[in-house]
């Protein structure tokens, strides 16, 4: 008889219906607040030299309503399936991936339609390439925010996040043909999905990498993304290197080595900014390329130094005092870790040579390797000082160090080549 006892609200019951109504009211309230804030920003900017186009606001509303609603429907169907199978009623990650993809697809379509309709209604000339470009950026950003666990209602984070992203890129006046944007999106999503299936990345990292890939490819070229992809592959592979040993001594990457959006952006924001600058300021392309190589080399060198260096049998030393330190302590380095950093940075320097992207072979390899190696040690220095004092997190240290690596390679270029 126990199986017939009432334990929790069943699908379609009055109690569940009441809960759904309350949730719907909260959703409408949050969305109304988001729309109000976007319109307020647009109104305030009218008194400045900047503007927040109405078609951008319409697009992010479309993403939040149609895209998020479709994603919620997919998750709800999955939840009903879980309940019917008498499993846990927690949302499994398997149902989050299809819902995020649905949000992305429906969001792009509805955002594009909304923007086309609003620009036609206002009688303003905005190219279809620009509208599709912004629809993709806004939808990927919205799906990313929706995938990140947060106490903030998705109907606030999704429209505001996608709206700010679309506004920022609309102000650049930069766009690419629809087919090129579409191929960049598919290419980035496929690679992100492979990383997800091989347990290198979670869903937020998948979407973060997709956003990163799309922007890097359209503002520069696919080779730039290949460099970043090399970093992600090497980082993911060496995270698994002697994982059980690292886990036994408490130095393994958390979550079984699966990386999140935080790992993606802390190591790749500098690269993303440089790729965007490359597209906007082509006259400084050579300087930006060297800086880009330096930042990717730093991210690669630092990851390999951490993942390989922690397996060293030799005694680590503190980078600031050169005194013996415990393994895994912020700022502790090993000879093995330094060698791994040097080789990892060198790999990034060799890739442009292999792909025929540079003429000065030796200077490119040396400057990239030096920028990556020194940037990695800047990371260790920051770990021993600011991170140890609680002024920076590990992600913050990675963020600053990758900019330092870019700056070092750029300065070396200006001294020895420019």
């Amino acid at each position: 008889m126990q199986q017939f006892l009432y334990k929790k609200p069943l699908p379609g019951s009055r109690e569940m219906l009441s809960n759904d109504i309350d949730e719907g009211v909260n959703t409408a309230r949050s969305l109304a607040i988001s729309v109000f804030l976007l319109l307020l920003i647009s109104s305030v900017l009218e008194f400045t030299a900047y503007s927040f186009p109405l078609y951008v606001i319409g697009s992010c509303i479309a993403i939040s309503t149609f895209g998020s609603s479709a994603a919620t429907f997919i998750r709800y169907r999955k939840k009903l399936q879980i309940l019917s199978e008498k499993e846990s009623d927690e949302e499994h990650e398997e149902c989050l991936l299809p819902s995020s993809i649905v949000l992305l697809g429906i969001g792009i379509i509805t955002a594009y339609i909304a923007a086309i309709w609003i620009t036609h209604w206002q009688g303003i000339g905005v190219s279809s390439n620009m509208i599709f470009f912004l629809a993709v950026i806004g939808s990927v950003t919205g799906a990313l925010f929706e995938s990140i666990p947060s106490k903030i209602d998705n109907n606030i984070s999704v429209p505001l996040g996608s709206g700010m992203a679309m506004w920022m890129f609309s102000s650049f006046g930069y766009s690419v043909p629809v087919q090129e944007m579409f191929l960049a999106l598919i290419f980035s999503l496929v690679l992100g999905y492979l990383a997800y299936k091989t347990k290198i990345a979670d869903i937020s990292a998948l979407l973060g990498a997709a956003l990163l890939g799309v922007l890097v490819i359209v503002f520069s070229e696919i080779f730039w993304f290949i460099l970043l992809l090399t970093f992600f592959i090497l980082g993911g592979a060496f995270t698994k290197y002697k994982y059980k040993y690292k886990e036994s001594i408490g130095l393994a990457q958390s979550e079984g080595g699966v990386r999140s959006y935080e790992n993606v952006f802390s190591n790749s924001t500098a690269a993303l900014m440089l790729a965007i600058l490359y597209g906007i300021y082509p006259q400084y392309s050579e300087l930006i390329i060297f800086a880009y190589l330096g930042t990717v080399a730093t991210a690669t060198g630092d990851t390999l130094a951490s993942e390989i260096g922690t397996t060293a049998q030799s005694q680590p030393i503190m980078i600031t005092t050169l005194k013996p330190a415990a393994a895994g302590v912020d700022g502790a380095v090993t000879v093995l870790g330094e060698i791994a950093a040097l080789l990892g940075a060198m790999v990034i320097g060799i890739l442009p040579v292999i792909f025929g992207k540079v003429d000065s072979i030796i200077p490119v390899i040396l400057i990239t390797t030096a920028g990556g190696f020194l940037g990695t040690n800047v990371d260790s220095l920051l770990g021993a000082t600011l991170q140890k004092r609680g002024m920076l997190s590990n992600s913050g240290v990675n963020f600053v160090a990758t900019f330092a690596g870019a700056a070092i390679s750029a300065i070396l270029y200006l001294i020895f080549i420019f």
Side-chain angles (χ1 to χ4, degrees):
M1 294 296 293
Q2 186 178 1
Q3 64 186 6
F4 297 106
L5 294 178
Y6 178 82
K7 294 182 178 180
K8 54 189 173 183
L10 297 174
S13 67
R14 178 175 295 182
E15 187 174 347
M16 179 168 279
L17 182 60
S18 177
N19 292 338
D20 290 343
I21 292 173
D22 292 339
E23 186 177 346
V25 171
N26 292 332
T27 296
R29 184 187 299 117
S30 298
L31 185 58
I33 292 172
S34 300
V35 173
F36 171 76
L37 290 174
L38 291 170
L39 291 173
L40 179 63
I41 294 171
S42 179
S43 299
V44 171
L45 288 177
E46 288 184 1
F47 299 98
T48 69
Y50 304 96
S51 65
F52 199 130
L54 185 60
Y55 72 87
V56 169
I57 297 177
S59 293
C60 69
I61 292 174
I63 294 169
S64 303
T65 51
F66 295 102
S68 293
S69 297
T72 301
F73 174 76
I74 296 297
R75 283 198 303 273
Y76 183 72
R77 289 292 300 272
K78 181 64 177 179
K79 195 170 184 179
L80 290 181
Q81 181 183 344
I82 293 172
L83 286 171
S84 67
E85 295 173 357
K86 299 184 179 182
E87 298 177 8
S88 169
D89 60 353
E90 295 180 359
E91 288 188 342
H92 293 181
E93 192 170 76
E94 287 78 4
C95 77
L96 295 179
L97 178 59
S99 69
S100 295
I101 297 301
V102 167
L103 190 157
L104 180 59
I106 299 296
I108 291 173
I109 295 170
T110 55
Y112 181 81
I113 294 173
I116 289 290
W117 181 80
I118 292 173
T119 53
H120 178 75
W121 171 64
Q122 288 185 307
I124 58 176
V126 181
S127 70
S128 58
N129 289 341
M130 170 64 79
I131 290 175
F132 187 75
F133 173 71
L134 296 178
V136 170
I137 298 304
S139 297
V140 177
T141 304
L144 172 61
F145 273 95
E146 197 256 357
S147 71
I148 299 173
S150 173
K151 294 181 180 179
I152 301 175
D153 193 304
N154 284 338
N155 288 284
I156 292 180
S157 61
V158 171
L160 292 182
S162 60
M164 292 299 106
M166 286 189 285
W167 172 48
M168 179 177 67
F169 285 102
S170 69
S171 64
F172 292 157
Y174 186 93
S175 64
V176 294
V178 171
Q179 59 271 27
E180 183 177 334
M181 188 67 182
F182 180 75
L183 290 175
L185 175 63
I186 297 300
F187 181 72
S188 301
L189 282 175
V190 169
L191 292 178
Y193 178 73
L194 292 176
Y196 170 75
K197 292 300 290 184
T198 53
K199 300 188 183 302
I200 293 176
D202 65 10
I203 293 175
S204 68
L206 184 161
L207 294 168
L211 178 61
L212 194 74
V214 167
L215 291 173
V216 169
I217 291 171
V218 300
F219 276 95
S220 53
E221 57 178 292
I222 195 168
F223 171 72
W224 289 49
F225 186 57
I226 290 175
L227 288 174
L228 267 182
L229 188 63
T230 302
F231 154 62
F232 288 129
I233 292 173
L234 289 176
F238 282 100
T239 295
K240 307 291 186 181
Y241 173 71
K242 292 189 177 181
Y243 186 83
K244 289 185 178 180
Y245 170 73
K246 289 184 282 189
E247 189 176 35
S248 69
I249 60 175
L251 298 179
Q253 176 81 20
S254 60
E255 304 296 332
V258 177
R259 299 180 182 270
S260 69
Y261 73 96
E262 190 175 354
N263 300 106
V264 172
F265 287 106
S266 64
N267 285 291
S268 306
T269 298
L272 173 60
M273 292 179 63
L274 288 166
I276 293 172
L277 289 174
Y278 178 85
I280 298 175
Y281 301 106
Q283 63 270 35
Y284 303 112
S285 60
E286 196 167 67
L287 173 63
I288 295 172
I289 288 172
F290 274 90
Y292 185 88
L293 290 170
T295 192
V296 178
T298 298
T300 306
D302 176 55
T303 300
L304 298 193
S306 298
E307 298 298 339
I308 297 176
T310 51
T311 67
Q313 300 300 314
S314 61
Q315 175 70 54
I317 59 172
M318 187 61 64
I319 192 171
T320 50
T321 63
L322 302 183
K323 293 181 179 180
V329 171
D330 297 329
V333 299
T334 62
V335 174
L336 181 61
E338 293 293 291
I339 294 173
L342 190 68
L343 294 177
M346 190 179 295
V347 168
I348 301 302
I350 292 173
L351 282 177
V353 177
I354 294 176
F355 282 85
K357 295 293 182 179
V358 294
D359 297 322
S360 306
I361 296 176
I362 301 300
V364 168
I365 295 175
L366 292 178
I367 289 175
T368 302
T369 303
F373 181 73
L374 293 176
T376 297
N377 284 280
V378 168
D379 185 287
S380 299
L381 187 62
L382 291 173
T385 53
L386 300 183
Q387 185 177 358
K388 200 169 185 180
R389 296 171 187 170
M391 299 174 67
L392 280 177
S393 64
N394 183 62
S395 295
V397 168
N398 292 337
F399 181 85
V400 176
T402 50
F403 276 93
I408 292 169
S409 288
I411 291 170
L412 292 175
Y413 162 78
L414 291 174
I415 293 174
F416 295 107
I417 295 182
F418 183 68

